[in-house]
Amino acid sequence: SELLNCLRSASVDQVLTAQTKLSSSDLFQVATDFYPTPDGYELPEGETIISALEKQKISIPLLVGSNLNETSLFQCGSFNEKMNADQAKQAVMDLVLNQVSGKNLSSNEAQQLMASYTVGPGNFDSWRAAAISASSDILFGCATRRISQWTAGSTKVYRYLLGRAPKFFRFDKCLGVPHTSDTFYMFYNNVTGKAMDAGDRMVADSIMGAWFSFVKGQEPQLTDKVWPSFDNEKEELLWIDDALHIEAGYRNKACETVDELVFGYRARDANEMVVI
């Protein structure tokens, strides 16, 4: 086509210049622009990567997980430290509309979603922290749970949640356990290790040992813990910190609300979801 011929004849500089003009100055917006495209080539038309995955019977074991505060790296600087409940709700509504599913949540739907992310004793210490946690679950945690649910019926799935950040991320409480934290543990070495502490080294040893055994075709090996495979009744995951523990049903109710309100999925039974 004329458009394809134009693109093919453009120089690298012309393509990069055009991309810069089209891209947002918001790093988080840019980072979430690049999803698999349902163009009939990368994915079938009308599919998402989640819906395509749901239809497959995966036979290869899967190790999947996320970090506790994935989106904080992008949102701590843009969310007001003293934001109130309405501002937190609006931030999540904007995220869903502009960077996730394109759904325009009503105020009542957003209120339902944020009911799992409250501020007060035993909960979040600020509405900024609550909004970041909700965002992290929408984009990462709940998607990880969904993938685990859909694949557990046909193969072994090992789900984890990283609950500790390397020492150099702890200068700002807002960050929590941000995006890329797992990478520094997975590729721990004597250079990056100088910026970490003894607890970080324990986490790095656990991650490297488990990941290495897994890629060799074995079950992920831990020194003093058995990592159970995910099943749809217990929904167990490995919480990775300097003290490893198994957590069951982590934020299940919150993710059920996210699945239904944000993505239009409703659980039919333990192994199946239906689009609504």
Side-chain angles (χ1 to χ4, degrees):
S1 72
E2 185 178 343
L3 177 60
L4 281 175
N5 288 333
C6 176
L7 286 170
R8 286 167 179 158
S9 64
S11 68
V12 172
D13 285 343
Q14 287 175 313
V15 172
L16 292 176
T17 299
Q19 178 179 302
T20 300
K21 290 180 179 178
L22 290 172
S23 296
S24 166
S25 59
D26 182 344
L27 178 60
F28 189 48
Q29 174 70 58
V30 173
T32 54
D33 276 344
F34 298 95
Y35 287 105
T37 305
D39 56 2
Y41 177 77
E42 190 174 19
L43 285 174
E45 292 184 13
E47 293 277 23
T48 66
I49 191 168
I50 296 293
S51 64
L53 180 64
E54 180 188 10
K55 296 174 182 177
Q56 304 301 313
K57 287 296 183 182
I58 308 298
S59 59
I60 300 171
L62 177 67
L63 193 156
V64 63
S66 58
N67 302 342
L68 187 59
N69 311 102
E70 291 273 8
T71 61
S72 64
L73 197 62
F74 312 100
Q75 293 175 324
C76 283
S78 59
F79 284 3
N80 189 322
E81 183 179 359
K82 297 182 179 179
M83 71 192 316
N84 59 33
D86 287 338
Q87 290 169 327
K89 184 173 72 172
Q90 187 62 52
V92 171
M93 291 171 70
D94 291 344
L95 174 84
V96 171
L97 176 64
N98 298 318
Q99 291 154 277
V100 184
S101 65
K103 181 174 181 181
N104 191 4
L105 294 177
S106 69
S107 180
N108 285 340
E109 287 174 327
Q111 189 66 45
Q112 279 182 260
L113 194 154
M114 290 302 292
S116 297
Y117 305 91
T118 56
V119 172
N123 295 301
F124 296 98
D125 61 4
S126 71
W127 283 109
R128 179 172 70 165
I132 289 172
S133 185
S135 300
S136 295
D137 284 346
I138 290 168
L139 277 167
F140 293 89
C142 295
T144 299
R145 174 179 180 259
R146 220 159 44 243
I147 289 170
S148 300
Q149 289 177 313
W150 283 335
T151 54
S154 59
T155 191
K156 284 190 173 182
V157 180
Y158 300 94
R159 184 184 172 196
Y160 72 88
L161 184 72
L162 180 60
R164 180 188 180 91
K167 181 181 178 181
F168 48 78
F169 275 135
R170 289 179 231 147
F171 71 94
D172 184 352
K173 182 182 177 182
C174 177
L175 288 173
V177 187
H179 193 61
T180 75
S181 293
D182 49 344
T183 306
F184 290 102
Y185 288 129
M186 200 179 309
F187 298 102
Y188 180 96
N189 56 60
N190 291 334
V191 176
T192 57
K194 292 178 181 178
M196 299 189 191
D197 58 24
D200 290 334
R201 180 57 192 266
M202 292 173 65
V203 170
D205 286 344
S206 295
I207 288 178
M208 290 189 293
W211 268 237
F212 182 63
S213 57
F214 182 75
V215 299
K216 289 196 300 180
Q218 304 170 1
E219 294 185 357
Q221 301 295 311
L222 301 169
T223 302
D224 59 353
K225 191 81 61 180
V226 175
W227 188 342
S229 58
F230 185 94
D231 72 68
N232 285 313
E233 291 186 7
K234 296 180 180 178
E235 293 202 22
E236 292 178 312
L237 58 78
L238 177 69
W239 187 290
I240 302 178
D241 203 328
D242 55 347
L244 303 173
H245 71 271
I246 306 302
E247 181 114 0
Y250 177 76
R251 288 193 182 160
N252 282 7
K253 296 300 181 184
C255 284
E256 287 172 6
T257 303
V258 167
D259 287 343
E260 183 170 344
L261 296 181
V262 177
F263 297 101
Y265 296 120
R266 185 177 63 236
R268 180 181 289 169
D269 57 37
N271 299 300
E272 187 177 6
M273 285 195 177
V274 59
V275 178
I276 57 175

